[in-house]
């Protein structure tokens, strides 16, 4: 059983790593950690992004363990096509394309909810 805040970063270290990797990716593209939705830019910070994503997937029916496994699978840990090395232990090379797509789908949903007035922007 999860004690305290069930969505805290401490409860989901892999989700936190995924959020950090996503923010780094976005900052490398846009010079700041933002996501450009069709409604406008969404500012990102890894901690709140991790909590938001965890909440989204748990409320969608995943167990905490399923959420962590799901996020672990987003990390590009093993890549046989990587030039320098094909696997990593404790060091991540970013996110897989399908992981990026999954995060962006959730952020698009968030943007749509904010734009339509169904959710507050912060």
């Amino acid at each position: 059983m999860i004690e305290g805040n069930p969505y805290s970063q401490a409860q989901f270290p892999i989700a936190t790593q995924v959020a950090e990797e996503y923010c780094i990716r976005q900052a490398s593209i846009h010079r700041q950690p933002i996501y450009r939705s069709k409604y406008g830019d969404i500012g990102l910070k890894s901690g709140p992004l991790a909590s938001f994503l965890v909440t989204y997937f748990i409320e969608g029916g995943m167990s905490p363990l399923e959420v962590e496994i799901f996020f672990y699978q987003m990390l590009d840990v093993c890549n046989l096509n990587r030039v320098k090395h094909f696997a990593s232990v404790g060091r991540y090379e970013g996110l897989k394309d399908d992981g990026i797509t999954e995060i962006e789908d959730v952020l698009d949903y968030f943007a749509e909810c904010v734009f339509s007035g169904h959710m507050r922007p912060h």
Side-chain angles (χ1 to χ4, degrees), residues 98-120:
D98 57 343
I100 293 166
T101 300
E102 193 72 45
I103 292 169
E104 291 178 348
D105 287 349
V106 174
L107 291 173
D108 284 334
Y109 172 76
F110 172 70
E112 191 170 316
C113 288
V114 170
F115 187 77
S116 67
H118 291 104
M119 189 181 292
R120 294 185 46 180

Side-chain angles (χ1 to χ4, degrees), residues 7 23 27 29 37 40-42 44 55-56 64 82 90 98 102 112 116:
Y7 308 118
C23 287
I29 294 169
S37 78
D41 292 349
I42 298 173
L44 303 171
T55 302
Y56 178 86
R82 190 177 297 123
D98 57 343
E102 193 72 45
E112 191 170 316
S116 67

Side-chain angles (χ1 to χ4, degrees), residues 17-30 32-33:
Q17 180 67 41
V18 165
E20 287 172 1
E21 294 290 338
Y22 186 76
C23 287
I24 290 167
R25 177 189 184 277
Q26 293 305 102
S28 73
I29 294 169
H30 303 295
Q32 55 185 328

